[in-house]
């Protein structure tokens, strides 16, 4: 156990010698103690120009340039791009809203003392319990990000919150049922996906206990909810998280759509013939396509030229590391966290999925 998790509120670890170096509450960007931004002009711009003003400017530009924009969208490549972008958003937005609503419920209605009772006091034991909690909470990776952020705010040790973030989109009943439907002749894919995803989530939680640092996580500043009526505080939290997480979801969906247009399909057939390259190809493809975990099993089933093990890698990596998820992690926890956590999760997910696939699905 590292000093970072010892100092995290709600971890249950005793403290006898004062706060260790680098420990303390998870920093909140823009919160108390944060230096004011330099430059009066920049501060004035941030105060005057918000998401509503940006949206209004975009709408005005769309009206002014509707003819050239319409001509560009009518091109076949742009139609494909638009189709993929819209499909990613349609899949993700309902679960993002669900996650934001649940996050607001946790922030406003669930007392901090609940988590001390619900999770084991020792952080190492809290990790598997939080991972298994994903079984009872349907949702996709878009909803798990704001929930994990809210759990950390409420004092849950980051290791447990991050284990939940990874496990919930992959082992919940909806995802496992969809996997069974997509692979009717290979029921072992359901077992392999659930087992591999649970193992990866626990490994990453324990790795955070061992190597993680609290100052890597920079939660965005949320308006102070203390002292507000519960209804007012609830909707304030919802509005903040929808605007903040939604913007990063749009960026991730745009990146995924661009990759779908730029990567030729014939490359996939060439890679499928090599056992090692096929695993790496589908792992990278899962990151790039950014398909919601409720739908990715059907895409994996359609990639029949690839082995079952490589398709299992696709199903394990996708809900844990994809473009929209990494983009949302940057927005929810900061760049320092995402650029360390995502690559490590990718490597662990590939190795565990290959190991489980070799034994379970062959």
């Amino acid at each position: 156990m590292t000093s970072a998790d010892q100092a995290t509120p709600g971890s249950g670890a005793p403290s006898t010698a004062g706060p260790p170096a680098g420990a303390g509450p998870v920093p909140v960007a823009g919160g108390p103690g944060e230096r004011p931004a330099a430059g009066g002009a920049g501060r004035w711009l941030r105060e005057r120009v918000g998401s509503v003003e940006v949206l209004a400017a975009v709408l005005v530009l769309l009206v002014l340039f509707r003819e050239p924009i319409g001509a560009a969208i009518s091109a076949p490549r742009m139609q494909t791009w638009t189709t993929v972008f819209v499909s990613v958003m349609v899949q993700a937005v309902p679960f993002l809203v669900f996650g934001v609503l649940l996050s607001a419920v946790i922030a406003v209605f669930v007392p901090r003392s609940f988590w001390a009772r619900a999770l084991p006091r020792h952080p190492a034991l809290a990790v598997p319990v939080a991972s298994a909690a994903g079984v009872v909470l349907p949702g996709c990776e878009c909803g798990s990000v704001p929930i994990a952020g809210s759990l950390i705010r409420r004092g849950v040790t980051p290791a447990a919150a991050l284990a939940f973030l990874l496990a919930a989109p992959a082992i919940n009943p909806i995802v496992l049922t969809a996997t069974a439907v997509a692979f009717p002749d290979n029921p072992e894919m359901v077992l392999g996906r659930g087992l591999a995803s649970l193992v990866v989530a626990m490994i990453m939680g324990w790795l955070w206990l061992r190597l993680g640092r609290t100052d890597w996580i920079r939660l965005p500043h949320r308006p102070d909810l203390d002292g507000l009526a519960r209804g007012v505080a609830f909707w304030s939290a919802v509005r903040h998280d929808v605007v903040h997480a939604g913007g990063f979801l749009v960026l991730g969906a745009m990146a995924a759509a661009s990759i779908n247009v730029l990567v030729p399909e014939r490359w996939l057939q060439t890679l499928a013939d090599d056992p090692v390259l096929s695993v790496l190809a589908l792992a990278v493809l899962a990151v790039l396509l950014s398909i919601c975990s409720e739908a990715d099993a059907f895409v994996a089933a359609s990639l029949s030229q690839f082995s079952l093990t490589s398709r299992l890698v696709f199903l394990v990596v996708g809900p844990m590391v994809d473009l929209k998820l990494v983009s949302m992690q940057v927005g929810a926890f900061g760049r320092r966290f995402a650029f360390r956590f995502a690559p490590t999760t990718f490597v662990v997910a590939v190795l565990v999925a290959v190991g489980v696939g070799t034994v379970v699905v062959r």
Side-chain angles (χ1 to χ4, degrees), residues 127 131 162-163 166-167 193-207 316-317 320-321 341 344-353 356:
V127 167
S131 301
L162 296 176
L166 297 177
R193 180 175 197 175
L195 178 60
S197 300
L198 188 61
V199 170
V200 173
M202 290 191 295
I203 288 175
M204 290 304 300
W206 287 326
L207 277 178
V316 174
V317 170
M320 297 185 176
V321 191
F341 189 75
T344 307
T345 303
F346 178 84
V347 173
V348 172
V350 171
L351 294 177
V352 170
V356 172

Side-chain angles (χ1 to χ4, degrees), residues 117-141:
R117 298 192 303 268
L119 294 174
R121 293 181 61 83
H122 198 289
L125 298 179
V127 167
V129 173
S131 301
V135 175
V136 298
L137 187 60
C140 78
E141 57 272 23

Side-chain angles (χ1 to χ4, degrees), residues 10 24 40 43 58 75 77 108 172 219 294 309 319 329 349:
R43 189 183 306 112
V58 170
R77 278 179 168 271
V108 176
N172 72 69
L219 296 175
E294 275 77 9
T309 296
Q329 287 179 358

Side-chain angles (χ1 to χ4, degrees), residues 101-113:
L101 291 174
L102 185 57
S103 171
V105 169
I106 292 172
V108 176
F109 297 102
V110 180
R112 291 179 183 269
S113 59

Side-chain angles (χ1 to χ4, degrees), residues 4-5 8 22 24-30 34 145 148-153 156-163 165 208-209 211-221 328-341:
D5 272 298
T8 304
V26 174
V28 178
E34 189 87 357
V145 173
S150 188
L151 289 174
I152 294 175
R153 279 190 169 92
V156 173
T157 179
L162 296 176
L165 182 152
W208 179 268
L209 281 176
L211 305 173
R213 290 172 47 184
T214 307
D215 60 353
W216 289 347
I217 297 179
R218 303 286 296 176
L219 296 175
H221 177 60
M328 292 179 69
Q329 287 179 358
V330 170
F333 304 116
R335 291 186 180 88
R336 296 182 68 191
F337 168 84
F339 294 162
R340 290 172 171 84
F341 189 75

Side-chain angles (χ1 to χ4, degrees), residues 280-298:
L280 296 177
L282 285 197
V284 173
L285 190 66
V287 175
L288 300 180
L289 291 183
S290 301
I291 303 170
C292 194
S293 59
E294 275 77 9
D296 60 358
F298 299 97

Side-chain angles (χ1 to χ4, degrees), residues 19-93:
V26 174
V28 178
E34 189 87 357
R35 276 194 208 169
R43 189 183 306 112
W44 180 88
L45 187 62
R46 281 190 295 273
E47 291 174 353
R48 297 289 181 178
V49 180
S51 57
V52 175
E53 288 76 10
V54 172
L55 177 60
V58 170
L59 292 176
V60 170
L61 291 175
L62 288 175
V63 171
L64 293 177
F65 298 99
R66 60 185 181 278
E67 292 185 3
I69 291 175
I73 292 178
S74 64
R77 278 179 168 271
M78 283 304 302
Q79 288 182 342
T80 302
W81 188 95
T82 304
T83 300
V84 174
F85 173 78
V86 172
S87 66
V88 170
M89 292 296 297
V90 168
Q91 289 174 5
V93 165

